[in-house]
Amino acid sequence: MSSKILGDMLLEKGLISAEQLKKAVSEQQRTGDYLGTCLIRMGFIDEKKLLSLLSEQLGIPYQSIKEMAVDDKVISAIPPRYVWHYKFMPLKLKGNLLTIAVSNPLDIWLLDDIKLNLGYDVEVVIASQQEIRDCLRKYYGVGAETVEKILQRETFKPSKDVKDIQAVEDIARSAEEASVIKLVNQILTEAIQSRATDIHIEPYRDSIKLRYRIDGVLYDTPIPPDLKYLHAAMVSRIKIISELDVVERRLPQDGRAKVKVGDKEIDLRISVLPSLYGEDVVIRILPTQLLLSLEDLGLLPGDLKRLKELIKKPHGIIFLTGPTGSGKTTTLYASLSYIKSPQVKIITIEDPAEYELAGITQIQINSKIGLTFANALRSILRHDPDVMMVGEVRDFETAELAIRTSLTGHLVFSTLHTNDACSGVTRLLDMGIEPFLVSSSVEAFIAQRLVRVICPHCKELVEKDNPKVKGPVYRGKGCDECKHTGYHGRSAIYEILFVEDPIRDLVLQKASAGDIKKKALTLGMKTLQEQGLEEVRKGRTTLEEVLRVTELDV
C-alpha cells in the first residue's frame, strides 16, 4: 500500500485535513521519511490513532510489546544490523515462521528482504515506534549494530579477553575509525537523551558494564556482550576527545571535552582510572550554561528572603555543606548569578570549574604545579574582588584564609563536607579555626540534599493521611516517561543555620553540634527531615526518597 493510499484513507476517515496532507507530503519529499512518520512528527495525527487505523484497514493486529518476553534464541537468530536498519523487533520464531513488530506495515520491502537474506517466512504485528525502540535497546543493547559491523571487519582484530592489551598503535588507529567514533557518540547521545548526569564504563574479567546515573541513582544499561572486545578502542577514543595520553594506562587521568547533541552544547568531564581488568571510565555530563535561579532551588519562602539579604551583604562567609552530588555547586552558582552585576567583581577558585558563567573570573586549581586553593586565594586578593567563591575548604590553611578574607570586607562562598548545617561549626573548630573567627565571620551554614521528584505522568495517591507525614502520601506508579522508575527530575531540600547572636555565643563556648542544633530549632530552623516531609505532604516526593537521603527515623 502506497503513501498515496494512506493519505486517502486518513482523509476519508477525517483524521487529517487536505492542507495537513499536503504539508506532510512536502516534508516526506524533503526528508525521505515515511508519510506516517512525517504526520506524527508534525503533530497532525497521534501515532496510536494512525496505527489503529492501519490495523483495521490491513487486518494486521495492533498490540503493545513493551511487556513481552522475547526468547534469547530469537534475538541470536536475527543480526542487529537488520533490526536497527529496518527498525523492527523480532518477537517469536516457530519453525521457519518469524513474528516481528513493525511501526510501518506499508514497508513491503522489509518482508522480502527478511525472506531473501534470512530465509524466514514473516508474520507481522503493529506496534509503536517508541515501544520498538525500547525493546531493541533492551534486547540488543546500545550500539549493537555498530559493534557487529566493527567486529565483522577483517582489519579489526579484537582481544578475546578483556584484560588482554592490544598494541598502542592498533588501539589508537581503531579509536580514530568511523565506526568506533560512531559507537562512542551513540553511548553519549543515549545517555544525554536519558537525562543521565554520569556514564560509567566498567571492565570486568569477562565482560564490561555500562551504567548511567539518572536522578542520582545508577542504572545498568543494556549492551551487546561483544562490546567487551571494543573496550580498549572506546577508552582510547574517549581519551582522544578529552586530550588525554592514549599511551598511559597505569595512572589515573582527568580531562574535559565539549560535544554537540542536537542544538545543545554539552561539557564532559572525564576521569580514567586503571583497574584490574582495564581502564574504568566515568564521564560527567554538564550543561555549558546553568539556568537555575535562586527561586528555582526549592527554598522555603522565609529562608529564600533571608538568604537574599545575606548574599547582598558586603562581607562575611556562607558555607554550603553536604556530600558529593548534593547540588552544592548549583546553589553556589545560583547565588553568584543573583548578585552578579557590572559593579561587582566576582572571582571563583574551583576544582574543577563545572559551569561557565559569563561576567565572572573562574580559576581552576592545579595541584601538580602548586596552584592550590590556598595559593590561589592569596593571589586573587590582589585582583580587587568584591565576591569570591572557594570551591571547597579542605584544610586549616584554606579555611583560615577564607575566613580572614571575609573579615577584610569581602563576601565569600565555600563548601564543607558535613552531614548537617550545625556540624559545619564543629568541623571548622576541629580544623583548628579559633571560635572568635568563626562567630565573627560566618553568616550561615546551609546543608542540602537532592530528592527525586515523583513523575507527574504516573503519580498516584497511596495514603490519605500518613501519621508520620501528617498528610497525604503519593508515589509514581512507573511509566514510559520515567522509564518505570516512578521519578522524573530532582529537587533540593535545605537546612539553614543562620549564625545569630545566640548561636555566636554557643560557638564561642565551643558547644557541641547537638547543643547548637537545639538552640537553632528554638530560633525557627527547619531540619532537612522537616523540609523533606513537607515535600512529601506537597506530593513532590516520596517518604522512601526522603529516608534515602536523610537520617529520618521512621
Side-chain angles (χ1 to χ4, degrees), residues 53 59 133 154 191 333 464:
L53 172 68
R133 277 196 298 266
E154 292 181 3
Y333 272 90
K464 284 187 178 179

Side-chain angles (χ1 to χ4, degrees), residues 283-327:
I283 303 172
R284 171 68 58 88
I285 301 169
L286 300 164
T288 51
Q289 289 187 330
L290 187 67
L291 302 176
L292 281 181
S293 65
L294 280 179
E295 287 76 14
D296 297 325
L297 294 177
L299 287 159
L300 296 172
D303 289 342
L304 177 61
K305 183 181 176 183
R306 290 191 67 181
L307 182 61
K308 283 182 175 179
E309 292 169 357
L310 282 184
I311 64 179
K312 282 186 174 180
K313 285 191 171 186
H315 55 78
I317 185 165
I318 297 171
F319 281 106
L320 271 87
T321 76
T324 301
S326 60

Side-chain angles (χ1 to χ4, degrees), residues 6 82 92 202 218 224 267 270 280 295 323 325 328 336 361 411 415 482 488 498 511 529 537 544 551:
L6 173 62
Y82 283 103
K92 298 175 189 173
E202 304 163 344
L218 277 172
D267 266 336
I270 290 108
D280 191 293
E295 287 76 14
K328 300 187 297 295
L336 294 179
T361 302
L411 180 63
T415 67
C482 61
H488 194 285
F498 294 102
Q529 294 93 324
R537 280 191 288 274
E544 294 78 13
E551 298 173 358

Side-chain angles (χ1 to χ4, degrees), residues 43-87:
F44 293 157
I45 191 170
D46 177 75
E47 184 182 26
K48 190 172 182 180
K49 285 183 180 178
L50 176 62
L51 296 182
S52 296
L53 172 68
L54 290 172
S55 173
E56 178 188 332
Q57 294 291 324
L58 301 174
I60 301 173
Y62 169 51
Q63 67 181 77
S64 173
I65 63 170
K66 62 183 176 183
E67 302 298 335
M68 283 189 68
V70 181
D71 197 295
D72 287 343
K73 71 175 185 179
V74 179
I75 303 301
S76 58
I78 313 300
R81 63 183 180 277
Y82 283 103
V83 297
W84 284 104
H85 177 73
Y86 289 110
K87 301 294 188 294

Side-chain angles (χ1 to χ4, degrees), residues 4-107:
K4 184 176 185 300
I5 298 173
L6 173 62
D8 292 341
M9 283 168 45
L10 294 171
L11 284 174
E12 185 182 324
K13 290 283 185 180
L15 294 174
I16 60 171
S17 67
E19 182 64 26
Q20 287 175 330
L21 177 58
K22 184 179 177 182
K23 289 180 179 177
V25 170
S26 177
E27 175 72 5
Q28 179 193 23
Q29 291 170 348
R30 186 182 68 83
T31 62
D33 290 335
Y34 294 116
L35 179 63
T37 303
C38 296
L39 286 165
I40 294 166
R41 185 170 62 235
M42 297 171 81
F44 293 157
I45 191 170
D46 177 75
E47 184 182 26
K48 190 172 182 180
K49 285 183 180 178
L50 176 62
L51 296 182
S52 296
L53 172 68
L54 290 172
S55 173
E56 178 188 332
Q57 294 291 324
L58 301 174
I60 301 173
Y62 169 51
Q63 67 181 77
S64 173
I65 63 170
K66 62 183 176 183
E67 302 298 335
M68 283 189 68
V70 181
D71 197 295
D72 287 343
K73 71 175 185 179
V74 179
I75 303 301
S76 58
I78 313 300
R81 63 183 180 277
Y82 283 103
V83 297
W84 284 104
H85 177 73
Y86 289 110
K87 301 294 188 294
F88 72 88
M89 179 63 203
L91 302 176
K92 298 175 189 173
L93 183 58
K94 192 172 182 180
N96 202 49
L97 181 63
L98 175 68
T99 304
I100 65 171
V102 298
S103 61
N104 180 29
L106 304 178
D107 185 2

Side-chain angles (χ1 to χ4, degrees), residues 323-361:
T324 301
S326 60
K328 300 187 297 295
T329 303
T330 301
T331 302
L332 284 172
Y333 272 90
S335 301
L336 294 179
S337 296
Y338 180 73
I339 59 177
K340 186 182 69 168
S341 76
Q343 292 77 39
V344 178
K345 172 78 170 184
I346 302 175
I347 301 180
T348 70
I349 314 167
E350 304 168 69
D351 180 27
E354 294 196 2
Y355 303 103
E356 290 181 19
L357 200 56
I360 289 179
T361 302

